[in-house]
Amino acid sequence: MPTEARNVTVTGAGGQIGYALLFRIASGQLLGADVPIKLRLLEIPQGLNAAEGAALELHDGAFPLLQSVEVTDDATRAFDGVNVGLLVGSRPRGPGMERADLLEANGRIFGPQGRAINAGAADDVRVLVVGNPANTNALITAAHAPDVPAERFTAMTRLDHNRAVAQLAAHLAVPVTSIAGLTIWGNHSASQYPDVFHATVDGRPVIDLVGESWLAETFIPRVANRGSEIIRVRGASSVGSAASATLDHVFDWVNGTGSGWTSAAVASDGSYGVPAGLVSSFPVRSVGGAWRIVEGLEMGAFSRARVDASVAELVEEREAVRALGLIPD
Ligand SMILES: NC(=O)C1=CN([C@@H]2O[C@H](COP(=O)(O)OP(=O)(O)OC[C@H]3O[C@@H](n4cnc5c(N)ncnc54)[C@H](O)[C@@H]3O)[C@@H](O)[C@H]2O)C=CC1
Ligand SMILES: O=C([O-])CC(=O)C(=O)O
């Protein structure tokens, strides 16, 4: 029996990440090589021409899996029947800014989109927020979609995870495929904590091969500040790597992580002392189409302090958006 087409909505489809994503989605890299796709591209009026142009090019790609492309500036229409929502549309930061500087401007985008998802999404909807500050924007979106289970709203820390894997592999001069068991904890911000204490390289504990000073002075700051490094070098924020990580996140969510784990920002259930409801990055496995937090990992003082600091920032962001009226009291 042919697989049913899935409705995939991309917000900010006329922007940089949108352009890097759309063709890869159409080629089957989001959901799988046998899953037909119906694309909805949501933009604000100023972005519609760019999205329309991308739609023309998608048409020219003659992608066998792509059944339709619709461009709209109406969130209700964009999310009607949506199975996968990629919430990319929002302002990127520039040089000298932190992602939290975008809180107020971008936060206002996500309440209305949450309401539109609540009103019309398919029962199995899965949402990935990419737009920064991603964790708190996911929190805002979920807060406006009370009828959709909170576990369906996630934020992207897969780019941080991929960066950490790549940095570690380069340091140890091994292929990225040799690394397993890495975790990004907390916020997609400079406070995030890339944790190697449970990581292995070809089955050997990484912690036997690297020292704490390398972790504290080189690895952690390099990964946590990679977004700023990219902005400094290319003059604009990450695009290709962000699109790639978006595909990785959703592909694994839908198709499973197998024996290993990855990192994603998901609604906390209180695990590891992270206050319930915060959208925080955890070690996660995807089982049966749902993210499950990897439980029972030991956490020493080095890790605990860093996880707590990043979670404290998430609590502050939640208070800030509450004070702005972007989530209910
Ligand atoms: N979570 C992560 O790892 C990463 C997140 N980002 C974030 O992704 C976001 C997008 O980045 P780019 O594509 O480079 O930016 P961009 O400025 O090229 O594109 C953003 C697009 O969103 C559109 N937009 C704005 N408000 C909208 C709304 N209410 N509805 C629909 N579309 C709307 C704009 O018209 C624009 O076309 C930024 O917030 C950036 O900081 C970027 C890299 C990694
Ligand atoms: O740093 C930024 O503003 C863009 C981003 O989230 C990243 O590259 O991780």
Side-chain angles (χ1 to χ4, degrees):
M1 211 169 68
T3 310
E4 202 187 325
R6 316 299 288 158
N7 293 319
V8 176
T9 301
V10 181
T11 77
Q16 296 295 308
I17 296 175
Y19 195 72
L21 255 183
L22 294 173
F23 301 88
R24 297 183 65 185
I25 295 173
S27 73
Q29 293 177 65
L30 183 78
L31 296 177
D34 58 349
V35 184
I37 304 272
K38 292 183 177 176
L39 268 175
R40 303 256 181 78
L41 312 186
L42 179 67
E43 261 294 349
I44 49 176
Q46 309 86 288
L48 280 174
N49 280 350
E52 294 280 7
L56 295 181
E57 285 200 67
L58 283 162
H59 186 75
D60 294 347
F63 291 101
L65 292 174
L66 189 58
Q67 292 194 349
S68 61
V69 183
E70 191 178 329
V71 180
T72 179
D73 63 357
D74 175 0
T76 305
R77 172 70 205 136
F79 290 115
D80 186 36
V82 62
N83 302 109
V84 177
L86 303 177
L87 276 48
V88 179
S90 53
R91 213 180 114 190
R93 66 177 169 143
M97 293 172 78
E98 286 302 326
R99 296 179 189 104
D101 296 335
L102 300 168
L103 207 54
E104 183 168 3
N106 285 346
R108 297 197 182 281
I109 294 173
F110 291 86
Q113 293 185 0
R115 282 196 290 276
I117 290 167
N118 199 53
D123 286 346
D124 70 345
V125 67
R126 292 178 173 89
V127 176
L128 171 61
V129 176
V130 174
N132 279 317
N135 302 54
T136 298
N137 288 339
L139 182 88
I140 295 170
T141 314
H144 291 82
D147 302 330
V148 179
E151 64 177 44
R152 307 292 184 74
F153 296 92
T154 64
M156 192 164 89
T157 52
R158 183 60 173 265
L159 176 53
D160 309 294
H161 181 96
N162 289 348
R163 287 167 172 163
V165 168
Q167 289 295 329
L168 194 57
H171 180 67
L172 298 173
V174 297
V176 288
T177 48
S178 296
I179 309 283
L182 233 155
T183 302
I184 303 294
W185 297 89
N187 201 2
H188 173 62
S189 75
S191 76
Q192 70 181 257
Y193 171 48
D195 174 6
V196 305
F197 281 93
H198 299 279
T200 55
V201 51
D202 296 322
R204 280 185 70 187
V206 163
I207 204 63
D208 293 350
L209 304 171
V210 301
E212 275 195 14
S213 63
W214 179 77
L215 290 178
E217 285 153 32
T218 305
F219 174 74
I220 295 171
R222 188 86 198 270
V223 173
N225 295 302
R226 185 67 158 186
S228 301
E229 183 182 346
I230 301 288
I231 292 171
R232 210 167 46 244
V233 173
R234 74 184 287 275
S237 66
S238 322
V239 171
S241 55
S244 232
T246 304
L247 298 165
D248 290 343
H249 176 114
V250 175
F251 188 91
D252 284 356
W253 193 356
V254 171
N255 295 295
T257 37
S259 59
W261 77 65
T262 184
S263 305
V266 298
S268 175
D269 57 2
S271 295
Y272 297 102
V274 179
L278 281 183
V279 179
S280 179
S281 190
F282 285 98
V284 288
R285 288 197 173 92
S286 162
V287 183
W291 289 121
R292 299 274 173 257
I293 295 171
V294 177
E295 300 291 353
L297 299 177
E298 273 177 33
M299 203 181 277
F302 183 97
S303 296
R304 188 71 256 176
R306 288 167 171 80
V307 173
D308 287 350
S310 195
V311 169
E313 186 184 48
L314 285 172
V315 171
E316 274 172 34
E317 288 186 12
R318 182 168 64 179
E319 291 315 311
V321 294
R322 200 170 267 150
L324 289 164
L326 299 179
I327 57 170
D329 279 338

